[in-house]
């Protein structure tokens, strides 16, 4: 027995392996399926073996068969078995098979979780790698949830090989388990700066993929990517980043401006076509995003177009194709620059490559104008004739129609020409687009009234020659055209020259071979024609003609009555009876033409395609209401018998509904109107239009687009479209000549000699007047309907779930699920990032509105340095409309001067502050030395200046006040030692305080602020620091959450004069409490060089870091700005004094807080209360809240009606809680804080804010 | 994202298929047929991009392919991939195959589909480009193949196969030597 088993397994060993299988299949070409089925039987046997090697071999063969199209899901369990083999080679086979045939509904997948987890944490990196690779193909939501944490750990694996795989697979995990995105994101972001280029590239890859779907959440990463872009040399990474920027720029035009220069440099420098192409693409995206705001980027457009031309002219078809593709993007916004390359694009129409021809066609669509439409279409018609292959020809046909009909036939000046083009197109054999031509014919004939006579004549000819079209109509879509022809001839039969002939044509027996829906139209319109014919014949004395017509109808119609098509049959028998009746009356010599015509009286108006959808629901109609009582859900079996007896009950309720009397109805209607009027989302009817609609019956109310006239051309017969081109040319020439004459006259009249332009050169668009007086009737829409595009987003898009705000700090609850018995160590990096993210928020807010402009000019005379300081400081809290766009304009300028220095933050951690980054528009590459200076200045280590403990724990002296600060300037040196001692003491004193604040820090949880709720008046936190005739400084102070002893003062310097300002030095007299941080090695009184120069009219922002000890009191610091004013001939030294006002508000940091955490905080009893009342505040409550949020760095925790709770935290961790209530013009604020002095000051400041407005 | 990678020969016979989104087997075959139909009728001197595989993707997706001797390498990608970049990637992939198989030809792909998969796994993972540096790819492939599989490891594999058969149960009268004699026929390469 045992022997048998062994023998069996040894036999198996010599079973076919993959190669044998392949060989066998190749040797059984004629009976492959049979051979494979025997192989599958063998495999099934092999899978029953206990031997894992045999199983692995079998699974390997199955993978091959899967490729050939065989379903191998039956072996899923065996695949799992092989996956769990301890040998790498087998494991790999198992994972490969799984990745080829597992999917979300494979149920054995849930068995794999632990195996995969084991493999992921295997000491052998190849096991881990193979598991990651496999998992990337079959990850399910369950697997993603269970393994997210393991994978996240792998992102910090020691081997870059594993790291990069782990990073890549995170994308799949995010897709399946969106909750993992936020917890994992900080680490993913970290990987952007991984030392290994492969890992870096993987991280870029994943973030780009995420950002492509939800770009707005990734805007804050722009500076980081910008840095990568300027530093990376890996073209793959560059391409990805550049593509990403292409997706980001539409959201942030300032980013675009910043990008243009480095991208242009890349375009000039790179030799890689792929990179060049992507750069051009992104520059185009930038230009598109800027197109509304900034006009002067013609140089960049020119560069792009020029580079694309090179691509298109290249012999490499791929480049040609891509060039055309990118060109079509430019076309949308800058059609002029593309139009100049019309020659090239027309040339591409002749290319042998269909893809290229199609691309060129796309371009043509946007290039047509009134002037060149005929010419281009003529060229396309030639191509139609030449084209072999119906797909391309069909494409041409649709393009011709698209081109002509675009934007409501905007470019068509001669509709006769267009109709004849359409008629020519009907001669195409085997096109699928008959219905397209038909609908164009209908559309034009209906909407362009002036063309109807011509159209009808053409259609009549078509009907006459129907046999040409219907030659072999079964496989021919062109007969659809007859549908249009018949309808047009019938509907507008009054224009027919010979209606009788057309009528006969429509009643030919051959018509019965047409498709049913066309026959139906034939029958119906034959009746219309009949009516017209009767009318024309009635005038004659001889009534036989009319009777003959009736007889014709009676003879021919039975053919249709027998039709198998119900519609045809019904219409035909109806009309037949009608005609028979008419004939009877005719025989009695009754005049019936008038009455027959009345059957078809009235005009049909075009209806917009969306009109039906837009019909407003009539008043009083509730579409969601039940028509009958809904079946009650709780209906259970034992209740049913009861229902038999209680049946009458529901009946009562219904009549009650309908019996509402008139008064009640009127009252309700009134109430509803009132409600609608107050509802901003309800689209109100403008009363006038409603009236017009009701008062004017018929066609008059249809909006009519008037196009100016010229003499209509009459072209007899069936004209070829080419004729029109010539005629049109002549006409235009004539017009031009006339115009010239007129102009000459005018000029003569004026006799002013300055008119020498205009008559030469190409005529402009406006000069071309259409040949017809044309009413293009716009389509009917129900009033109240807004022409909106419905947002048709796919609700099943998996990426929708990933639309997650990544800048919000992580909440405690947001953690990846971990198996309970294992503790995951929390990485310090993650914490850091959390804080970082929290820090970003307040900054963003304040910098949204950047700069302030003031018009009043104080004329200060020069004063020497030694002179007494004048206290001219003005402190104003002004709110002006700040101009994002305008603020940036000067920045661009300053770039051009190229003397401008990089911003202080370009390399320090604050780089994440997107707005600040954007506002400065630096080009790091060419300002390296400057950066180093700036760096040293912006973020010197805190201890350098403060001289306190090396760790950056917040110090909180309570008694360092402003008085001290004032006196300090005199005896600073003496005091220094003393002060240090004091500080040490203070530190001890407040030690417990730190713990408290640290604890508080973790409570930062997500919550929105109220700002986005409704439109608000623009606000700015920048207030005036000082100004004179040369320069103006505005500043804003922001706390630094990471370091409780630091605040950052952002100062915008604006050059108001017309001379060049340089060598600016910013100096502040330190107080005991607050000190300007100076670079190492400089003395306590040295000024800081402002890291840029200011050309006239330019402004720029610099940041200065101050160390503060106590934050509970506001304080003021005196300072001076010295600078050199350089004119063309002279330069003078100037100075400006200022006073920096550190309000308590500036120590607060917007920190979101959940309401439960907020409640806990209030319950704790550690907080001391205070309150304040504001009178006469006249603004909506949400504006009030927004103001507090914005100016005082609070966030709204909860808002109920006219009551809101708000929260903020100081840089040293004090909690500040507000309860804001409003009634009428009185606002009461109850506040609680663990530091009463701070609270008092904050409340004072809030009070001041509102007293000013 | 790369949605699918297909390799088939001039007659449309699949040599490797790798879908990064699930399709049932018959759908996969249909996609291969359609793709082959689209690609095969194109001349060699036209561009390597194709829009409009109706079965896979949609308007956002493109087919990017290269034709080498008897084989078509087709990548179906969306707009987040650079067209020229993917063309380069195909080149990298083929050159890697060439290095790993020493003058790769269609037969190599036919008989060693699994190995081609392993190589591909080092280039693209889950639809995203993992590595573009050929040396790195070759190094990884060889690292994994030589210690425990591949050409030089064939005998080792056979022995381990024997080991895994619960050797203790094998009665003494079976001559292990016989197994060794048969080893050459086991050799996969």
């Amino acid at each position: 027995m045992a022997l048998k088993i062994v023998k069996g397994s040894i036999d198996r060993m010599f079973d076919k392996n993959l190669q044998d299988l392949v060989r066998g299949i190749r040797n059984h070409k004629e009976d492959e399926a049979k051979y494979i089925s025997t192989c599958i039987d063998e495999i099934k046997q092999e899978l029953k073996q206990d031997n894992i090697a045999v199983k692995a071999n079998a699974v390997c063969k199955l993978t091959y068969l899967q490729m050939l199209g065989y379903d191998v899901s039956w072996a899923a369990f065996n695949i799992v078995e092989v996956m769990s083999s301890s040998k790498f080679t087998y494991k790999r086979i198992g994972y490969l098979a799984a990745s080829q045939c597992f999917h979300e509904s494979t149920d054995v997948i849930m068995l794999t979780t632990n195996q995969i987890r084991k493999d992921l944490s295997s000491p052998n990196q190849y096991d881990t790698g193979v598991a990651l690779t496999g998992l990337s193909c079959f990850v399910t939501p369950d697997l993603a949830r269970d393994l997210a944490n393991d994978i996240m750990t792998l992102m910090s694996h020691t081997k870059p090989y594993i790291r990069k795989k782990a990073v890549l697979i995170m994308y799949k995990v995010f897709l399946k388990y969106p909750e993992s995105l936020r917890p994992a994101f900080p680490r993913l972001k970290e990987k952007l700066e991984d030392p290994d280029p492969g890992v870096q590239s993987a991280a870029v890859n994943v973030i780009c993929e995420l950002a492509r779907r939800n770009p707005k959440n990734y805007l804050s990463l722009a500076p980081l990517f910008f840095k990568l872009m300027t530093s990376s040399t890996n073209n793959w990474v560059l391409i990805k980043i550049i593509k990403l920027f292409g997706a980001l720029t539409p959201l942030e035009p300032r980013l675009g401006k910043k990008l243009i220069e480095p991208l242009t440099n890349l375009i000039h420098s790179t030799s890689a076509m792929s990179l060049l192409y992507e750069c051009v693409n992104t520059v185009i995206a930038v230009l598109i995003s800027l197109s509304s705001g900034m006009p002067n980027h013609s140089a960049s457009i020119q560069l792009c177009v020029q580079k694309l031309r090179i691509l298109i002219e290249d012999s490499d078809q791929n480049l040609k194709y891509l060039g055309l593709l990118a060109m079509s993007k430019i076309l949308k916004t800058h059609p002029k620059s593309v139009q100049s390359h019309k020659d090239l694009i027309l040339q591409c129409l002749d290319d042998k490559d269909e893809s290229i021809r199609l691309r060129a066609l796309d371009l043509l669509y946007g290039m047509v104008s009134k002037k060149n439409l005929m010419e281009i279409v003529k060229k396309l018609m030639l191509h139609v004739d030449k084209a072999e292959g119906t797909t391309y020809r069909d494409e041409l046909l649709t393009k011709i129609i698209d081109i002509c009909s675009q934007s409501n036939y905007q470019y068509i000046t001669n509709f006769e020409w267009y109709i004849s083009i359409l008629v020519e197109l009907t001669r195409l054999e085997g096109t699928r687009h008959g219905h397209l031509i038909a609908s164009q014919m209908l559309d034009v004939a209906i909407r362009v009234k002036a063309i109807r006579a011509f159209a009808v004549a053409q259609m009549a000819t078509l009907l006459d020659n129907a046999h040409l079209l219907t030659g072999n109509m079964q496989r021919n879509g062109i007969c659809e055209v007859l549908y249009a022809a018949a309808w047009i001839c019938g509907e507008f039969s009054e224009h027919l020259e010979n209606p009788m002939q057309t009528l006969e044509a429509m009643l030919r027996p051959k018509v019965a071979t047409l498709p049913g829906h066309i026959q139906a139209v034939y029958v119906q319109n034959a009746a219309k024609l009949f009516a017209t014919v009767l009318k024309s014949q009635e005038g004659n004395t001889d009534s036989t003609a009319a009777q003959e017509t009736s007889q014709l109808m009676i003879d021919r119609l039975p053919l249709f009555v027998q039709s198998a098509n119900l519609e045809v049959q019904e219409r035909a028998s109806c009309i037949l009876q009608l005609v028979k009746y008419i004939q009877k009356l005719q025989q009695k010599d009754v005049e019936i033409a008038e009455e027959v015509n009345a059957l078809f009286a009235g005009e049909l108006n075009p209806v917009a395609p969306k009109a039906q959808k837009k019909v407003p629901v009539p008043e009083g109609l509730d579409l969601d209401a039940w028509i009958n009582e809904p079946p009650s859900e709780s209906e259970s079996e034992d209740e049913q018998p009861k229902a038999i007896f209680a049946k009458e009950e529901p009946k009562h309720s219904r009549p009650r509904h309908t019996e509402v009397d008139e008064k009640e109805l009127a009252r309700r209607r009134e109430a509803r109107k009132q409600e609608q009027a107050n509802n901003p989302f309800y689209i109100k009817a403008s009363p006038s239009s409603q009236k017009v609609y009701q008062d004017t019956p018929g066609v008059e109310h249809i909006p009519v687009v008037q196009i100016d006239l010229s003499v209509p051309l009459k072209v007899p017969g069936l004209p070829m479209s080419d004729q029109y081109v010539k005629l049109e040319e002549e006409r235009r020439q004539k017009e031009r000549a006339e115009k010239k004459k007129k102009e000459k006259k005018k000029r003569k009249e004026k006799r002013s000699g300055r008119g020498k332009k205009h008559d030469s050169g190409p005529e402009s668009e406006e000069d071309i007047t259409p040949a017809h007086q044309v009413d293009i009737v716009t389509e009917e829409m129900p009033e109240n309907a807004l022409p909106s595009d419905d947002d048709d987003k796919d609700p099943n898009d998996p990426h929708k779930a990933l639309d997650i705000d990544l800048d919000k700090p992580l909440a405690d609850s947001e953690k990846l699920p971990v198996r309970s018995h294992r503790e995951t160590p929390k990485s310090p990096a993650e914490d850091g990032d959390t804080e970082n993210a929290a820090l970003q928020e307040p900054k963003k807010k304040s910098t949204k509105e950047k700069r302030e402009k003031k018009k009043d000019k104080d004329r200060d005379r020069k004063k020497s340095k030694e002179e007494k300081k004048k206290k001219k400081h003005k402190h104003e809290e002004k709110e002006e409309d700040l101009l994002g766009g305008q603020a940036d304009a000067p920045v661009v300028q300053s770039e051009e001067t190229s003397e401008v220095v990089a911003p202080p933050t370009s390399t320090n951690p604050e780089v994440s502050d997107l707005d600040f980054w954007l506002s400065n528009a630096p080009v790091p590459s060419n300002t390296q030395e400057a950066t180093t200076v700036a760096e040293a200045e912006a973020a010197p280590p805190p201890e350098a200046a403060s001289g306190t403990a090396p760790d950056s724990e917040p110090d909180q002296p309570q008694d360092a006040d402003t008085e001290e600060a004032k006196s300090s300037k005199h005896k600073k040196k003496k005091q220094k030692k003393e002060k240090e001692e004091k500080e040490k003491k203070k530190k001890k004193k407040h030690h417990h305080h730190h713990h408290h604040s640290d604890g508080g820090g973790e409570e930062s949880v997500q919550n929105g602020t109220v700002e986005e709720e409704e439109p608000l008046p623009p606000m700015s936190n920048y207030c005036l620091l000082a100004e004179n005739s040369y320069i103006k400084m505005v500043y804003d102070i922001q706390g630094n959450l990471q370091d409780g002893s630091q605040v950052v003062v952002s100062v915008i310097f604006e050059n108001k004069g017309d001379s060049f300002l340089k060598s600016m030095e910013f100096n502040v007299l330190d107080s005991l409490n607050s000190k300007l941080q100076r670079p190492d090695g400089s003395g306590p009184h040295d000024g800081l060089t402002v890291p840029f120069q200011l050309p006239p009219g330019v402004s720029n922002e610099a940041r200065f870091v101050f160390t503060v000890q106590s934050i509970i009191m506001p304080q003021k610091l005196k300072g001076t700005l010295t600078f050199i004013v350089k004119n063309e001939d002279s330069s003078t030294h100037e100075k400006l004094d200022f006073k920096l006002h550190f309000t308590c508000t500036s120590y607060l940091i917007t920190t979101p807080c959940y309401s439960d955490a907020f409640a806990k905080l209030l319950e704790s009893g550690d907080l001391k209360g205070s309150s304040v009342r504001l009178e006469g505040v006249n603004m909506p409550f949400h504006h009030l809240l927004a103001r507090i949020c914005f100016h005082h760095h609070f966030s709204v925790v909860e808002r109920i009606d006219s009551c809101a709770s708000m929260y903020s935290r100081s840089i040293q961790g004090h909690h500040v809680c507000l309860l804001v209530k409003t009634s009428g013009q009185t606002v009461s604020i109850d506040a609680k804080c663990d530091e009463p002095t701070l609270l008092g000051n904050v409340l004072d400041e809030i009070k001041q804010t509102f007293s000013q407005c | 994202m790369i949605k699918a990678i297909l390799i088939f020969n001039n007659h449309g016979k699949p040599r490797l298929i790798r879908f990064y989104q699930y399709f049932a087997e018959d759908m996969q075959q249909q996609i291969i047929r359609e793709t082959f139909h689209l690609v095969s009728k194109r001349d060699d001197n036209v561009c390597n991009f194709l829009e409009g595989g109706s079965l896979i993707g949609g308007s956002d997706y493109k087919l990017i392919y290269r034709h080498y001797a008897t084989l078509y390498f087709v990548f179906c990608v969306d707009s987040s991939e650079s067209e020229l970049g993917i063309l380069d990637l195909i080149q990298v992939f083929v050159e890697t195959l060439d290095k790993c198989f020493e003058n790769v030809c269609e037969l190599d792909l036919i008989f060693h589909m699994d190995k081609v998969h392993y190589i591909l796994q080092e280039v693209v993972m889950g639809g995203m480009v993992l590595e573009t540096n050929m040396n790195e790819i070759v190094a990884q492939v060889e690292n994994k193949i030589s210690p425990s599989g591949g050409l030089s490891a064939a005998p080792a594999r056979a022995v381990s196969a024997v080991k895994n058969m619960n050797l203790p149960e094998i009665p003494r009268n079976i001559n292990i030597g016989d197994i060794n004699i048969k080893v050459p026929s086991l050799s996969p390469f």
Side-chain angles (χ1 to χ4, degrees), chain A residues 629-647:
Chain A
E629 286 300 310
S632 79
E633 275 169 34
S634 61
E635 230 171 25
S636 57
E637 280 158 315
D638 54 333
E639 266 177 334
Q640 227 151 15
K642 268 187 209 163
I644 297 170
F645 305 103
K647 216 176 179 179

Side-chain angles (χ1 to χ4, degrees), chain A residues 314-429:
Chain A
D314 199 287
S315 60
D316 184 342
Q317 298 282 317
N318 291 327
L319 298 183
K320 195 178 280 236
Y321 172 88
L322 293 177
L324 290 170
L325 195 64
M327 207 59 122
S328 63
K329 285 178 198 156
I330 300 187
L331 188 69
K332 280 173 204 144
T333 47
H334 302 90
K336 287 251 164 66
S337 27
V338 181
Q339 270 159 11
S340 55
H341 299 280
K342 200 179 81 188
D343 56 321
L344 191 63
I345 286 149
L346 285 175
Q347 207 177 307
C348 289
L349 277 184
D350 297 321
D351 201 280
K352 56 192 174 303
D353 186 349
E354 193 177 303
S355 312
I356 286 175
R357 291 198 301 255
L358 290 177
R359 284 270 81 89
L361 272 181
D362 276 350
L363 272 176
L364 275 184
Y365 177 81
M367 288 177 54
V368 291
S369 61
K370 282 183 182 165
K371 200 168 53 167
N372 62 14
L373 175 73
M374 285 184 164
E375 180 197 344
I376 287 179
V377 171
K378 184 181 164 193
K379 181 130 199 198
L380 290 181
M381 291 299 283
L382 283 179
H383 279 282
V384 171
D385 292 338
K386 275 194 292 185
E388 71 272 358
T390 47
T391 34
Y392 178 59
R393 212 172 48 182
D394 281 357
E395 191 61 34
L396 271 171
L397 191 153
T398 40
K399 267 283 136 42
I400 290 175
I401 288 178
D402 276 357
I403 286 174
C404 292
S405 62
Q406 66 176 308
S407 19
N408 207 12
Y409 307 103
Q410 185 189 348
Y411 299 117
I412 294 184
T413 49
N414 187 332
F415 276 92
E416 286 186 11
W417 164 81
Y418 185 45
I419 294 269
S420 36
I421 285 286
L422 289 175
V423 172
E424 267 174 57
L425 285 175
T426 62
R427 289 175 204 153
L428 280 186
E429 260 175 49

Side-chain angles (χ1 to χ4, degrees), chain A residues 28 85 396 570 666 811 824 839 991 1035 1054 1121 1145:
Chain A
H28 292 79
S85 157
L396 271 171
E570 191 181 356
T824 32
L839 181 64
H991 216 75
Y1035 76 109
E1054 186 193 342
L1121 181 81
T1145 290

